[in-house]
């Protein structure tokens, strides 16, 4: 009997332990249920949170020994210490938008892969890297979930894997935290793989037009994911209302940046500088970078002057200082002209020679430079040679302009007869490429001067393009071109006869510096606006261009009449040469007799 009892004891002890565990679990269950009851009731509307709390409750019951305290171990009194003692029950709050009113709007300045989708960090413990769920960090897409994410297109495209990851997340509407090491299979270390999060957000890409059209052309996913383009204007009309709005914008920037207030004259000068930046007297820019920099520099000069507010002269000092910092190359170019290293005349009259105007663009800084353009014409076969193009120094647009003026010459002076002219055009002392058609008027006037043998006033410079009908068309950089020739004339002494001929359609773009405006007002410098090539010819030569009469003839003393007369002379001369050449040929009879 004793042996039988001894054999049953292990079974009885096992059953006793199980019954004791059941009793203990029942008591613990009642205790834990009381603590969790209110918590679960508060999250009934969130099934995922309720399921998590149920798992926490079961884990507490299964590991109740960890919560027991004896004489040697005491549980922490405060909650933070308790959480540290039991890190498995900690909560890692990735995003907290509790204080956000409305949908979150996030701008990510550095849209790298980890900054967009988050990351899993690691800690070093005893020489080994470890991690846990509390080291999961949110990315910009987590913070913007349910709202709007603003990204710079160029920055996203230049970050490795960022663009493809962004598209994949938007297409799947899920956000997965991945590392570059895992994506490239560079490491085999076991790490956390957080569950994907459902994604519901609007991504706004910001960039220039070229980037948009390149993505639309070469990325098939782009037009599917980004369906609503918005091309924002970079300027507004310079109306009275918009000027008041622009003044309020200046005041807002002044208050935000904590600089001195501006008086009326300073505000007016800032508005003028904005129109000057656009090279349009009827527009105002919307870019704030240049405006903010101008306000900062104006504030500096006001401080140097000991003034409580920024005045017009302080804004002008800031503008002059910004130009002076980039003026070295301009000074060298103008110095070479004034020292007659580069030949540009500003007085007298010369046949087939004219002052053209070009613009040098150095980043955001531009300045004008006069250039001598010359032409040569002789008896030939109706060909106008562009020397710049012939030596591959002329661009396509410049060559197009020369072809247009050739077409104009043929149409006006040789519509029903041959044009026996061979001519050449060149920018003298040009050692770089020539591009643009803004010298078309100057080249055409020089060519006509060469044919008609009519001198051109060197006190005038010309800019503008021309079409096949002789109409003068607008060009760019008109302010810098005028100022460039004015500076040369002023350095040599203003005579009152000097000036610039520009297209009439460019008058609305005039935003000249005050020194030029003052000289024009005093009659020391002149600006002529022309609509046709004939108006330009009359100004440059001092001779009437001449209008065609009902018989289709030009007045003989006019510029056009002289051109027609010279062409007729060349036609007769060409016929005489042809007849002489025919006479020099051996006749058939002569050939036989000689033979």
């Amino acid at each position: 009997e004793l042996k039988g009892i001894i054999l049953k004891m292990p079974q009885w002890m096992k059953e006793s332990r199980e019954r004791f565990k059941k009793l203990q679990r029942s008591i613990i269950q009642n205790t834990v249920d009381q603590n969790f009851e209110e918590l679960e009731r508060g999250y009934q509307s969130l099934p995922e949170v309720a399921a998590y709390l149920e798992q926490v409750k079961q884990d507490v019951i299964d590991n109740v020994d960890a919560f027991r305290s004896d004489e040697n171990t005491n549980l922490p009194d405060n909650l933070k210490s308790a959480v540290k003692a039991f890190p498995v029950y900690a909560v890692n709050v990735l995003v907290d938008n509790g204080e956000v009113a409305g949908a979150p709007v996030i701008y990510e300045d550095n849209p790298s892969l980890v900054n967009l989708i988050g990351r899993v960090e690691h800690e070093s413990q005893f020489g080994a890297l470890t991690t846990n769920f509390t080291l999961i960090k949110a990315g910009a897409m987590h913070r913007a979930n349910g709202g709007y994410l603003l990204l710079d297109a160029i920055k996203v495209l230049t970050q490795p894997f960022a663009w493809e990851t962004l598209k994949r997340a938007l297409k799947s509407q899920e956000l997965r935290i991945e590392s570059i090491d895992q994506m490239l299979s560079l490491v085999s270390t076991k790490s956390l793989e957080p569950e994907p999060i459902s994604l519901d957000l609007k991504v706004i890409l910001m960039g220039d037009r070229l980037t948009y059209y390149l993505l639309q052309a070469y990325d098939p996913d782009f037009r599917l994911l980004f369906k609503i383009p918005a091309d924002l204007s970079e300027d507004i009309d310079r109306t009275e209302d918009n000027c008041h709005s622009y003044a309020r914008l200046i005041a807002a920037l002044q208050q935000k940046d904590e600089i001195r207030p501006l008086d009326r004259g300073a505000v007016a000068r800032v508005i003028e500088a904005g129109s000057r930046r656009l090279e349009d007297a009827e527009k105002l820019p919307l870019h704030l970078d240049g405006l903010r920099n101008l306000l900062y520099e104006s504030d500096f000069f006001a401080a140097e002057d000991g003034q409580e507010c920024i005045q017009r002269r302080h804004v002008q000092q800031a503008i002059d200082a910004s130009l002076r910092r980039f003026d070295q190359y301009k000074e060298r170019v103008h110095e070479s002209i004034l020292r007659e290293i580069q030949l540009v005349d500003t007085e007298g009259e010369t046949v087939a020679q004219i002052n053209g105007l070009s613009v040098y663009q150095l980043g955001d800084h531009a300045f004008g430079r006069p250039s001598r353009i010359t032409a040569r014409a002789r008896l030939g076969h109706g060909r106008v040679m562009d020397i710049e193009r012939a030596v591959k120094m002329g661009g396509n647009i410049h060559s197009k302009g020369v072809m247009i003026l050739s077409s104009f010459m043929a149409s006006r002076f040789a519509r029903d007869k041959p044009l026996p002219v061979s001519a050449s055009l060149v920018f003298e002392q040009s050692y770089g490429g020539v591009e643009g058609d803004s010298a078309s008027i100057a080249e055409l006037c020089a060519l006509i001067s060469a044919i008609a043998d009519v001198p051109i006033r060197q006190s005038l410079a010309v800019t503008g393009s021309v079409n096949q009908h002789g109409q003068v068309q607008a060009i760019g950089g008109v302010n810098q071109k005028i100022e460039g020739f004015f500076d040369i004339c002023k350095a040599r002494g203003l005579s009152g006869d000097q000036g610039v001929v520009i297209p009439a359609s460019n008058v609305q773009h005039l935003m000249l510096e005050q020194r030029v405006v003052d000289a024009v007002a005093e009659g020391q410098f002149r600006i002529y606006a022309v609509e046709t090539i004939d108006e330009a010819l009359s100004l440059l030569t001092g001779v009437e261009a001449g209008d065609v009469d009902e018989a289709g003839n030009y007045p003989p003393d006019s510029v056009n009449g002289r051109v027609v007369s010279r062409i007729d002379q060349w036609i007769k001369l060409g016929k005489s040469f042809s007849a002489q050449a025919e006479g020099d040929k051996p006749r058939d009879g002569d050939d036989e007799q000689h033979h």
Side-chain angles (χ1 to χ4, degrees):
E1 292 178 2
L2 180 59
K3 182 178 179 181
I5 292 172
I6 292 174
L7 292 174
K8 292 180 180 180
M9 285 182 63
Q11 182 66 26
W12 291 342
M13 292 176 65
K14 180 180 178 181
E15 294 177 356
S16 174
R17 286 195 301 270
E18 290 179 355
R19 294 175 66 183
F20 181 78
K21 286 182 179 180
K22 290 181 180 180
L23 176 62
Q24 186 181 30
R25 190 178 185 88
S26 175
I27 296 172
I28 295 171
Q29 182 83 39
N30 293 333
T31 304
V32 173
D33 284 343
Q34 291 178 6
N35 293 325
F36 274 80
E37 181 178 1
E38 182 178 356
L39 196 61
E40 291 175 336
R41 193 164 51 244
Y43 292 97
Q44 288 180 351
S45 60
L46 301 174
E48 294 180 352
V49 177
Y52 171 74
L53 292 176
E54 181 64 27
Q55 294 177 5
V56 172
K57 183 170 65 174
Q58 294 302 322
D59 189 79
V60 170
I61 294 173
D62 294 338
N63 298 280
V64 69
D65 291 338
F67 296 91
R68 297 181 183 275
S69 60
D70 53 27
E71 296 178 357
N72 298 323
T73 60
N74 294 319
L75 289 177
D77 295 332
N78 58 64
L79 181 60
K80 290 185 178 180
S81 299
V83 170
K84 291 181 180 180
F86 300 97
V88 70
Y89 302 119
V91 175
N92 181 16
V93 180
L94 289 180
V95 179
D96 182 8
N97 287 333
E99 301 298 329
V100 177
V105 179
I106 303 297
Y107 171 72
E108 178 55 53
D109 183 61
N110 182 23
S112 62
L113 176 64
V114 294
N115 287 346
L116 282 178
I117 65 173
R119 62 191 182 277
V120 179
E121 295 181 342
H122 293 76
E123 292 180 336
S124 177
Q125 293 183 353
F126 305 105
L129 294 178
T130 63
T131 186
N132 57 69
F133 70 94
T134 62
L135 298 179
I136 300 175
K137 304 300 180 182
M141 299 181 74
H142 292 95
R143 298 192 300 273
N145 203 2
Y148 302 89
L149 177 61
L150 280 67
L151 300 173
D152 188 292
I154 294 295
K155 292 181 179 179
V156 178
L157 293 170
T158 53
Q159 292 289 344
F161 302 100
W163 177 245
E164 292 299 327
T165 302
L166 175 64
K167 292 194 299 181
R168 184 167 58 250
L170 293 177
K171 286 191 289 186
S172 64
Q173 296 185 348
E174 285 186 346
L175 184 56
R176 295 177 178 271
I177 297 180
E178 299 175 302
S179 66
I180 296 180
D181 295 339
Q182 292 175 329
M183 295 174 65
L184 298 179
S185 301
L186 295 178
V187 296
S188 58
T189 305
K190 184 177 180 181
S191 183
L192 296 179
E193 294 184 5
E195 292 184 3
I197 297 174
S198 60
L199 193 63
D200 179 21
L201 83 164
K202 302 293 184 183
V203 177
I204 300 174
L205 284 181
M206 300 176 293
D208 56 18
R209 295 180 182 88
L210 178 60
T211 303
Y212 170 79
Y213 290 119
L214 287 175
L215 286 173
Q216 189 181 46
Y218 294 105
D219 193 332
D221 297 327
F222 178 74
R223 64 177 62 193
L224 298 176
L225 295 175
F226 300 92
K227 301 178 181 179
I228 306 177
D231 191 352
L232 302 181
S233 176
E234 299 176 0
D235 54 60
I236 56 175
D237 294 333
R238 188 177 169 181
T239 62
E240 184 176 353
D241 291 340
N242 286 340
C243 284
H244 286 302
S245 300
Y246 204 77
R248 288 194 290 270
L249 172 63
I250 295 172
L253 292 177
Q254 172 260 322
Q255 295 176 6
K256 180 180 178 181
D257 297 336
E258 297 181 352
I259 63 177
R260 290 169 175 77
L262 289 79
D263 65 11
R264 292 171 61 89
V267 173
R269 187 66 187 93
V270 171
I271 292 176
E272 291 173 1
S275 296
R276 160 84 179 197
R277 199 177 307 121
L278 290 178
E279 297 187 2
D280 195 332
E282 299 179 1
K283 296 289 184 179
L284 289 173
L286 293 177
H287 287 287
L288 299 183
D289 291 342
L291 175 59
R292 181 175 275 111
N293 293 340
L294 179 58
L295 294 180
Y296 277 129
E297 291 196 50
S298 302
D299 181 69
F300 169 79
F301 286 106
E304 290 285 307
D305 198 20
Q307 299 295 322
E308 294 296 327
C309 66
I310 300 173
Q311 301 174 9
R312 185 184 182 92
R313 68 174 183 273
H314 302 139
V315 179
Q316 187 62 48
Q317 284 179 301
I319 295 173
D320 294 340
S322 64
L323 294 176
R324 189 166 55 251
R325 289 193 294 267
F326 288 94
D327 257 5
Q328 184 180 36
Y329 190 63
K330 171 187 172 183
E331 291 174 356
R332 295 293 179 88
V333 171
H334 287 187
E335 180 185 1
S336 66
I337 295 175
L338 296 175
R339 294 173 62 188
E340 297 186 357
I341 298 172
Q342 295 185 6
L343 303 179
V344 174
D345 293 336
T346 55
E347 59 183 12
E349 295 181 348
T350 307
V351 175
Q353 177 178 302
I354 194 170
N355 292 323
L357 296 174
S358 57
V359 171
Y360 282 61
Q361 188 74 39
L362 303 174
D364 295 333
H365 180 64
F367 67 92
R369 173 185 179 271
S371 301
R372 174 180 287 183
I373 300 174
T374 60
R376 278 287 182 261
R378 61 183 178 83
L379 177 64
H381 303 284
R383 179 171 177 259
V384 177
M385 183 179 68
D386 177 14
I387 295 179
E388 308 291 341
R389 180 66 173 177
V391 297
K392 298 181 180 181
M393 291 177 60
N396 294 331
I397 299 177
H398 177 262
S399 299
K400 175 185 175 183
V402 175
M403 291 179 181
I404 289 175
L405 67 89
S406 300
S407 175
F408 168 80
M409 290 287 296
S411 176
R412 169 169 286 193
F413 301 113
R415 180 173 296 181
D416 52 0
K417 57 186 176 183
L419 182 65
V421 178
S422 286
S424 60
L425 294 166
V426 68
F427 276 77
E428 301 290 354
Q429 294 182 290
S430 172
Y431 306 109
V434 176
E435 182 59 301
D437 62 350
S438 62
S440 299
I441 295 179
E443 291 172 325
L444 181 54
C445 291
L447 179 59
I448 292 176
S449 171
I451 297 173
D453 197 25
V454 177
I456 293 176
R457 295 169 57 190
Q458 301 302 298
S459 58
L460 296 179
V462 189
T463 183
S465 68
V466 66
N467 61 21
Q468 296 186 101
H469 299 282
Q471 296 173 320
V472 177
Q473 302 170 141
I475 43 81
V478 63
N479 295 294
Q480 290 83 1
K481 291 177 178 178
I482 294 173
E483 291 161 0
F485 189 67
F486 172 81
D487 289 338
I488 298 298
C489 294
K490 184 178 180 180
R492 290 177 173 175
L494 295 174
S495 62
D497 294 330
Q498 296 144 335
V500 173
V501 179
I502 66 171
S505 52
N506 275 125
V507 173
Q508 59 187 323
H509 303 140
L510 291 179
M511 288 298 301
L512 297 167
E513 294 183 4
Q514 193 62 40
R515 67 179 190 277
V516 183
V517 176
D518 294 340
V520 171
E522 295 171 3
Q524 297 179 341
F525 193 78
R526 302 180 183 277
I527 299 175
Y528 301 96
V530 297
E531 296 183 351
T532 64
I533 187 64
D534 290 335
E535 294 180 22
L537 282 170
S538 299
L539 283 170
L540 291 166
T541 62
V543 180
E544 288 295 327
D547 296 326
V548 66
D549 57 20
E550 295 180 356
N553 300 318
Y554 290 99
D557 293 335
S558 66
V559 176
N560 290 325
R562 296 183 185 184
V563 172
V564 172
S565 176
R566 177 59 62 86
I567 290 176
D568 290 340
Q569 293 176 12
W570 281 341
I571 290 176
K572 293 179 181 179
L573 188 60
K575 289 180 179 180
S576 66
F577 281 123
S578 298
Q580 182 179 353
E582 288 291 335
D584 292 339
K585 287 183 179 180
R587 290 174 296 177
D588 293 343
D590 294 340
D591 288 347
E592 292 177 359
Q593 184 178 2
H594 177 73
H595 182 69

